[in-house]
Amino acid sequence: MTRTRRRLPARPVAALAAAAGILGLVVVTPPGQASPRTAPVAAAAENTATVFYWTKTKNWAAYKLHYAPDGGSWTTVPGVTMETACTDWVKKTVTLGTATGLQATFTNGSGTWDNNGGKNYALGTGNITVKDGVVAHSDPCADTGTTPTNKATVYYSTETLGWSTANIHYQPAGGAWTAVPGVGMQAACPGWWKQEVDLGTATSLKAAFNNGNGTWDNNRGSDYALGAGVSTVRNNVVTANAADPCAAQVPDTQAPTAPARVTAAADGVSVLLTWDPATDDRGVTKYQVTRTGGTTGTVVTDVGSTVFSDTNLAERTAYSYTVKAVDAAGNVSAASAAASATTGDKPATPTTGKPLGTDPRKDPIYFVLTARFNDGDATNNRGGSQHVKAGNAANDDPMFRGDFKGLIQKLDYVKGLGFSAIWVTPVVLNRSDYDYHGYHGYDFYKVDPRLESAGASYQDLIDAAHAKGMKIYQDVVYNHSSRWGAKGLFTPTVYGVRDTQWSWYYDERQPGFEYDGLTIDAKTGKSYYNGDQWSTAEPTGNTCVNWGEPTQYTSPEGYRIYNCQWPSPTSGMFPKELFHQCWIGNWEGEDSRSCWLHDDLADLNTENATVQNYLIGAYNKYIDMGVDGFRVDTAVHIPRTTWNRRFLPAIQERVTQRHGAEAAKNFFVFGEVAAFVNDKWNRGSVNHSAQFYTWKERKEYDANDAKAALEMYDYEQQQGTGSQPTSTNAFLDGNSYHTPDNSRFSGMNVIDMRMHMNFGDASNAFHNGKDSDDSYHDATYNVVYVDSHDYGPNKSSERYSGGTDAWAENMSLMWTFRGIPTLYYGSEIEFQKGKKIDCGPTCPLATTGRAYFGDHVAGSVTASDFSQVSSASGAVATTLQQPLVKHVQRLNQIRRAIPALQTGQYSTEGVSGDMAFKRRYTSGTTDSFALVTITGGATYTGIPNGTYTDAVTGDVKTVTNGTLTVAAPGKGNLRVYVLNGTGRIGTAGPYLK
C-alpha cells in the first residue's frame, strides 16, 4: 500500500515556525542492527543542503522550497524558486549556517502545497531527495559517465512487497555504512529498482533495503553479501553476475485510464470518497485526490486504495474532488469527473482518539456482546422481525438491548475486576433478521445506531475507556457481509410479491426512507424495513437466473418459493468479482476460504482489489478513532497470502500514519482461526491451523491474489506439518530470557484454539497448549479463553459448567501461563452455566449463553484502581462478592505486579509437577523470574540461587543449591515464587490463600 500524503496549503509563517520545533524525522533502526548507522558530521564549511524534489507525479508549472534551518526562521511564503536539475528533478542548495538540518515544504506558488501530511519534511545536510513523500540521501543527477574501477550494479525486486520506493543501505568491504535510510534507488522497470555503487578499492559490499518508511529487508538479520558486477536480489535470493532483469522490457509510457464513478458523501465535517479502480497496462500503484473548495485552496492527497476519508473540514462548506491514477513509472491519468459534497455541522465531541499503545500482553481481556451486556438507553432497543417468534417479546428482552452507554456506565465494574482491555463485538451497521451480535455487517462505514446514544457514541466509549487506562479491541469481519451485501460495495435486489402470503415480509418501498436499523418507518412501523431490497420487476443488469419464476418448493408456512427470492451464492444474484459463488463443502478444504458459510453471510471475494479497498477504507475509520486492536472474525476463511499481502500491511500503515510507530507496534490483531480438534495441527491441514496464520510467506507466489492463494494452499499442504516454521520466542533458554526474533512475523496473533478446546480440564489444556507452542511465531501473544459466544471446551454448544473449583483452576492457569487471559462476560459468576450458547431465533435469548447481563451489574460501582472497588451498591455489590470475582480480582493484581507473568518466556526444564513452570522477562533494569505451580506440588532444579517470595502467601524460601520444592496448594490455588520478590500481593480469598 502507498502511504497517504496530504498536500495542504501553508499555515502562517509563525505557526509553521512553531511546528518546526516539534516535528522531526523518526529514524527506525534497521532490523538486525543494534542502532542506526550514521555518517560523519559534515565540516562547517560544507554545512549546506541540496534539496532535490521529484516532479513527475506533480506536473506543477513551478516549484518552490519553503524552509527553515533548524532553530531558525522560515522563508517568506511561498519560499524560494527551485531550479531544473535533470529529467524529472528540480533542486535548491541552501546555506544552513550552524544548523544541522532544516524543516521544509514544497509548493507550486499558486496555493497547492506538499507539507508531508501536515508534519513538514525534516531534512538533514548534503544531498537530499524528496520523492512522493519519501526522504532519501543521494544525488539523482550525478554524472555517471565515468565508470569506477570497481562498481556494483544492484537490482532489487519489490514486486511482492508493495513498496512504492526503495533505498539501499550499504557498506563496501572495509568501509563505512551509508547514513540511514541509505541511497534512494532508481526505478528500472515495473517491480525492479536499480543502483550503481562505487566500491573504490573494495570488491564486495554488504547491503540491506528499505522503503523509506521504516520497513526493512536485511536478509532476516544477516544483511546481503553482494559482489562487483551486476547482482539481483529477489525474495531473499541473490544472483551474482546476473542478466539485466529489465533489458527486455519496453519503457512504460502509457498512462492509466481515468478513475470512473467517483462519489462523495458528507458526514459531519468529513467526506467519504469512493471510485472504481482505474486500469493500466502494467498496474496502478496509487491515486491522486485533488480537493478544491473552502478557504484552504487546492489540496492533493496520495491514496493507495479506491476509498478516501477526508476529515476535519470546514462546517457547511461545499467541496469538489477529482481523482487521477498513477502507475509505477509515474505516468498520470487524466482527471476523473468531479464529485461534490457539502459538509454539515462539526460534532460536539472530538472525531478521533489515540490508542494507548502499550504491550498488549499486559492487558487481560474482558469480552462483551455489547447488545447483551448492559442497557444504558432504552430508546435504542430493537427487537427486529424475530422478536415475537424468538420468544424475546414475552420476556420484554429485545435482541438489541445493551449499548455503548450501558458499557460506559459499567467500565468501573470491568476495571474493578482488574481487566484493562475490553473486546467488543462488531460495531458496524448490521442487517439481517437476527443481527444483535454484529457479524452480519451491512454498512461497514457506519456505526450501528442501535448501539449509540446522545453523549454515548462509539468515540465516546473509546475515549472513556482510555481515560480509565483501558483498551478497546474491536471485533472486525473481513470474510463476509450480511445476506443483503455491503452498502457502498454491492447490495442485491431480490424478487418479491406483496400478496396476502408475503406482504408481512415484503415491505412497500418508501421513497426517501433509508434503513439504519434504528429509525422506524412510519407507514409499516418497522425498523427492519426492507422495501429497498425487493422488486417484482426484473432490475436493469440483473444476473440472477430465472428471475421470479416459481419453484417446486414452499416455505415452512406453505408459501410458494420463487427463484431469486432469497440471497444465495449459486443463483447469480451476486457479482462473482465481488462475492464468491459456492457453498462450503469441506470445512478443512480449500473451498472453506472461497465459499459461503451460511445464507446470512455473503462471502466477500477478498482477493479482489475493489473488495480489499472497501474493507481497508472501512476499518481505517475505526483505526482513526483510536481503537487499540482488532479481533478478526473468521480469519481462517481468508487465505494467509491475502492477509499478509493486503490487510495486515494496511492496518500497520494506517496506525503508523495516524498514531506513530510505537502505537503500530502494539496495535493488537488476533484472529479467530477456528480449529475444533485436540491435536497440534487441525486434521493434518496446516492451512487450517491457528499457528499457520502467525507467519509470513516463505516463497514467492503469483502476483494475482486469487492464484497466489491456490498456489500457497497447495504448496503448504504438500510441505505438510513436519516442514513448517518453528520458533523459540515463547521459551526460555535454560533460565535466561532471550530477545524474540520477529523477522518472520505476519502481523497476526491468534486465539489459542487448542487450549480452548481442552479446557474441560485445566491440566489437559496446559499440556496441549505447551505442545503447540514451538509452531506459533510467539505463543506469549496467544489469546486464551475457556468459552466464548460460540463454543465451550470440546466444541460444546453450552457455556462452561465444570464447577466453581474447576473455573478457579482454569483461571489460575490462564493468568499465570503464557498468553493473554480472556473472560467471556458473566463467567466471573458462572452466568448461564450449562445453557445453550446460541440457538438463533428458535428460543428466547434469556435462556441462552447470550442472555442479558445488566441485571447483575445494576446499581453503582466505582473503581479506584484495577482490581480495587472503592464503592458499590445494589445488585452489582452482590455480584462483586462472588467467589470467582474475588479470585479474578486477585489474579489480575498478581499478574499486573509481576512482569514475568505478563510478557515472560517460560520453560518446564528441570521442573517436576503437573501444571508447573518457570517464567522470566528481562529488559533494561527489569529482571523478573517466577516459579509457578497450580493445584499440585512441584520441584524446581537448576534455578538461580537467591531469595524467593510467594506472591500468594508471602512465604519466603532461600535457595542455595539450585533447588526449590513447593507443596500442593490445592484445587484452583497456586504458588508464584518470585526471585527477589517484594512479598504477598493482595489479600487471601476463597482460592488464593
Side-chain angles (χ1 to χ4, degrees):
M1 299 296 295
T2 303
R3 184 176 298 277
T4 302
R5 300 290 182 191
R6 301 190 66 194
R7 275 61 169 150
L8 300 178
R11 294 165 283 171
V13 173
L16 281 168
I22 60 173
L23 297 173
L25 179 67
V26 177
V27 178
V28 180
T29 302
Q33 299 178 16
S35 62
R37 298 164 175 128
T38 57
V41 177
E46 299 175 351
N47 200 23
T48 62
T50 300
V51 181
F52 293 85
Y53 190 70
W54 176 253
T55 65
K56 189 167 184 178
T57 56
K58 292 290 184 296
N59 296 316
W60 291 348
Y63 295 84
K64 294 182 181 292
L65 173 68
H66 179 46
Y67 71 92
D70 292 348
S73 301
W74 284 84
T75 56
T76 302
V77 174
V80 296
T81 301
M82 304 185 75
E83 62 196 54
T84 300
C86 56
T87 304
D88 298 326
W89 291 94
V90 293
K91 72 175 182 179
K92 185 64 181 178
T93 300
V94 299
T95 301
L96 299 177
T98 59
T100 57
L102 68 154
Q103 299 285 312
T105 63
F106 303 88
T107 176
N108 66 354
S110 301
T112 299
W113 286 82
D114 171 7
N115 67 354
N116 194 22
K119 296 181 291 186
N120 301 330
Y121 288 99
L123 310 177
T125 60
N127 294 322
I128 307 161
T129 62
V130 180
K131 180 181 179 182
D132 292 335
V134 177
V135 176
H137 296 268
S138 66
D139 180 353
C141 305
D143 181 11
T144 58
T146 302
T147 303
T149 304
N150 290 313
K151 182 177 69 174
T153 301
V154 181
Y155 287 90
Y156 183 69
S157 172
T158 61
E159 61 185 340
T160 61
L161 301 177
W163 293 0
S164 59
T165 189
N167 297 321
I168 179 172
H169 177 48
Y170 67 89
Q171 177 195 43
W177 282 90
T178 56
V180 173
V183 176
M185 303 183 76
Q186 305 301 307
C189 56
W192 286 96
W193 299 80
K194 175 184 177 181
Q195 184 63 37
E196 292 185 349
V197 177
D198 185 352
L199 297 177
T201 59
T203 58
S204 63
L205 70 153
K206 289 184 178 180
F209 303 88
N210 65 85
N211 67 351
N213 289 311
T215 300
W216 284 81
D217 170 11
N218 65 356
N219 197 22
R220 301 186 180 94
S222 301
D223 296 325
Y224 289 97
L226 308 174
V230 177
S231 299
T232 61
V233 181
R234 186 170 184 260
N235 296 327
N236 301 112
V237 176
V238 174
T239 302
N241 301 316
D244 181 348
C246 301
Q249 299 196 29
V250 177
D252 183 6
T253 59
Q254 181 176 331
T257 61
R261 294 204 302 176
V262 179
T263 62
D267 181 9
V269 290
S270 298
V271 171
L272 179 67
L273 206 69
T274 63
W275 58 92
D276 288 348
T279 59
D280 184 68
D281 60 332
R282 301 191 186 180
V284 174
T285 57
K286 66 178 180 180
Y287 295 90
Q288 290 180 349
V289 177
T290 299
R291 182 189 78 207
T292 57
T295 60
T296 55
T298 301
V299 178
V300 181
T301 305
D302 288 351
V303 180
S305 68
T306 58
V307 178
F308 173 60
S309 180
D310 199 11
T311 58
N312 298 320
L313 300 171
E315 295 181 291
R316 297 180 296 281
T317 301
Y319 292 96
S320 180
Y321 297 84
T322 59
V323 184
K324 297 179 181 179
V326 184
D327 65 17
N331 298 306
V332 183
S333 76
S336 69
S340 300
T342 300
T343 56
D345 294 329
K346 184 176 182 179
T349 55
T351 57
T352 58
K354 188 174 181 64
L356 296 183
T358 54
D359 191 319
R361 294 173 295 178
K362 296 181 179 180
D363 301 298
I365 301 170
Y366 191 75
F367 171 34
V368 300
L369 268 73
T370 311
R372 307 300 299 159
F373 182 65
N374 186 54
D375 189 9
D377 178 6
T379 66
N380 59 13
N381 293 356
R382 293 292 182 270
S385 66
Q386 304 298 304
H387 189 47
V388 174
K389 178 181 178 181
N392 295 331
N395 292 310
D396 192 21
D397 182 25
M399 61 171 183
F400 265 94
R401 187 173 179 184
D403 46 41
F404 295 143
K405 186 173 183 179
L407 182 52
I408 290 171
Q409 290 171 347
K410 300 306 173 186
L411 286 176
D412 270 26
Y413 170 74
V414 180
K415 185 171 183 174
L417 294 178
F419 293 92
S420 49
I422 301 176
W423 158 12
V424 295
T425 40
V427 304
V428 305
L429 175 62
N430 268 231
R431 191 169 195 176
S432 79
D433 292 327
Y434 217 47
D435 57 3
Y436 63 95
H437 43 67
Y439 298 100
H440 297 165
Y442 172 68
D443 188 345
F444 286 67
Y445 286 80
K446 183 181 181 67
V447 175
D448 201 307
R450 291 169 288 187
L451 297 175
E452 294 195 302
S453 310
S457 66
Y458 187 39
Q459 186 68 63
D460 291 323
L461 169 63
I462 295 167
D463 294 343
H466 286 172
K468 294 181 180 293
M470 303 167 71
K471 295 180 177 179
I472 294 293
Y473 295 149
Q474 179 179 329
D475 211 323
V476 295
V477 186
Y478 288 76
N479 174 69
H480 57 262
S481 69
S482 73
R483 71 159 62 104
W484 303 118
K487 183 181 178 182
L489 182 69
F490 176 80
T491 57
T493 299
V494 296
Y495 176 78
V497 179
R498 299 192 69 254
D499 54 22
T500 54
Q501 292 181 332
W502 284 106
S503 60
W504 67 276
Y505 197 77
Y506 293 174
D507 296 329
E508 181 181 352
R509 183 182 293 274
Q510 305 299 325
F513 184 82
E514 184 174 359
Y515 168 85
D516 65 7
L518 179 70
T519 305
I520 295 174
D521 169 31
K523 188 164 186 176
T524 65
K526 295 179 180 180
S527 63
Y528 49 95
Y529 160 87
N530 59 25
D532 55 335
Q533 306 289 359
W534 306 90
S535 174
T536 53
E538 185 171 356
T540 302
N542 169 60
T543 58
C544 187
V545 180
N546 299 322
W547 174 268
E549 295 181 10
T551 71
Q552 70 269 39
Y553 305 110
T554 58
S555 71
E557 297 84 1
Y559 302 153
R560 179 61 55 195
I561 294 175
Y562 297 83
N563 285 317
C564 309
Q565 192 173 43
W566 196 252
S568 163
T570 57
S571 64
M573 191 175 295
F574 289 83
K576 63 182 179 180
E577 295 81 11
L578 305 180
F579 291 83
H580 290 131
Q581 307 286 300
C582 52
W583 295 106
I584 285 182
N586 177 6
W587 288 83
E588 273 76 40
E590 197 286 323
D591 59 338
S592 73
R593 305 179 310 157
S594 56
C595 296
W596 287 38
L597 310 177
H598 191 272
D599 66 357
D600 264 344
L601 312 175
D603 202 80
L604 292 162
N605 180 5
T606 51
E607 286 63 69
N608 175 275
T610 300
V611 174
Q612 293 168 355
N613 291 333
Y614 176 85
L615 293 168
I616 289 168
Y619 290 127
N620 280 349
K621 170 179 178 175
Y622 306 105
I623 290 172
D624 294 352
M625 293 174 74
V627 296
D628 301 275
F630 287 157
R631 181 269 186 181
V632 183
D633 181 72
T634 51
V636 71
H637 298 294
I638 294 176
R640 188 178 74 177
T641 47
T642 304
W643 285 117
N644 289 354
R645 285 182 175 188
R646 310 301 175 197
F647 297 135
L648 295 172
I651 291 170
Q652 278 291 298
E653 180 182 82
R654 188 66 168 201
V655 180
T656 301
Q657 180 190 66
R658 286 291 189 264
H659 307 300
E662 189 64 19
K665 173 186 173 183
N666 290 313
F667 189 88
F668 190 45
V669 179
F670 58 106
E672 177 205 24
V673 185
F676 301 117
V677 293
N678 295 326
D679 54 3
K680 184 172 183 176
W681 297 98
N682 184 10
R683 295 185 174 89
S685 172
V686 296
N687 283 282
H688 296 87
S689 300
Q691 56 269 46
F692 182 72
Y693 281 74
T694 66
W695 297 98
K696 287 182 179 178
E697 307 307 334
R698 48 182 171 166
K699 70 182 296 291
E700 179 186 354
Y701 301 106
D702 195 281
N704 178 279
D705 286 352
K707 292 180 180 178
L710 291 171
E711 289 178 2
M712 184 273 293
Y713 182 89
D714 290 340
Y715 174 79
E716 294 294 355
Q717 289 295 88
Q718 291 168 9
Q719 293 298 302
T721 61
S723 184
Q724 294 300 312
T726 58
S727 170
T728 61
N729 285 342
F731 304 118
L732 293 173
D733 183 3
N735 292 315
S736 299
Y737 178 86
H738 63 92
T739 302
D741 175 8
N742 296 320
S743 62
R744 296 179 293 167
F745 179 42
S746 68
M748 181 184 288
N749 297 288
V750 290
I751 294 168
D752 196 319
M753 295 302 296
R754 192 174 183 193
M755 286 194 71
H756 162 57
M757 285 300 297
N758 286 280
F759 256 119
D761 174 75
S763 174
N764 200 31
F766 169 68
H767 290 287
N768 273 273
K770 183 163 63 77
D771 177 56
S772 294
D773 284 355
D774 65 341
S775 60
Y776 292 100
H777 164 262
D778 190 342
T780 65
Y781 287 87
N782 284 14
V783 170
V784 182
Y785 57 60
V786 173
D787 61 358
S788 72
H789 59 324
D790 286 326
Y791 292 103
N794 298 311
K795 205 179 180 181
S796 165
S797 59
E798 290 81 35
R799 288 194 74 157
Y800 182 72
S801 58
T804 309
D805 290 353
W807 249 124
E809 186 177 50
N810 287 339
M811 290 179 179
S812 292
L813 175 61
M814 287 194 294
W815 261 259
T816 56
F817 189 42
R818 94 295 180 272
I820 302 171
T822 301
L823 199 67
Y824 182 40
Y825 81 100
S827 291
E828 64 273 21
I829 61 170
E830 297 178 86
F831 180 60
Q832 298 296 93
K833 64 182 179 181
K835 297 295 180 66
K836 191 174 184 64
I837 294 173
D838 175 30
C839 59
T842 64
C843 68
L845 281 168
T847 65
T848 72
R850 298 177 176 181
Y852 177 67
F853 190 62
D855 295 338
H856 295 277
V857 290
S860 66
V861 57
T862 301
S864 56
D865 202 349
F866 293 105
S867 299
Q868 300 291 330
V869 175
S870 56
S871 65
S873 62
V876 69
T878 302
T879 295
L880 287 166
Q881 295 304 311
Q882 300 306 302
L884 290 179
V885 169
K886 295 297 184 183
H887 189 55
V888 77
Q889 283 178 316
R890 194 171 182 207
L891 284 171
N892 273 321
Q893 279 184 299
I894 292 171
R895 188 178 189 273
R896 196 172 298 279
I898 302 172
L901 300 185
Q902 302 173 51
T903 55
Q905 295 162 342
Y906 79 96
S907 174
T908 56
E909 179 184 344
V911 180
S912 68
D914 183 24
M915 289 185 286
F917 46 91
K918 52 189 177 183
R919 296 190 68 185
R920 191 171 208 154
Y921 176 72
T922 305
S923 178
T925 59
T926 299
D927 183 20
S928 176
F929 185 69
L931 308 174
V932 179
T933 186
I934 300 156
T935 299
T939 297
Y940 305 84
T941 60
I943 61 174
N945 291 332
T947 301
Y948 291 78
T949 304
D950 179 23
V952 177
T953 64
D955 179 55
V956 177
K957 294 183 182 294
T958 301
V959 174
T960 58
N961 61 352
T963 300
L964 186 150
T965 298
V966 181
K971 181 85 168 181
N973 202 349
L974 78 154
R975 296 289 179 258
V976 185
Y977 279 89
V978 181
L979 180 61
N980 300 319
T982 57
R984 185 179 66 182
I985 299 169
T987 58
Y991 290 99
L992 298 181
K993 55 188 178 181

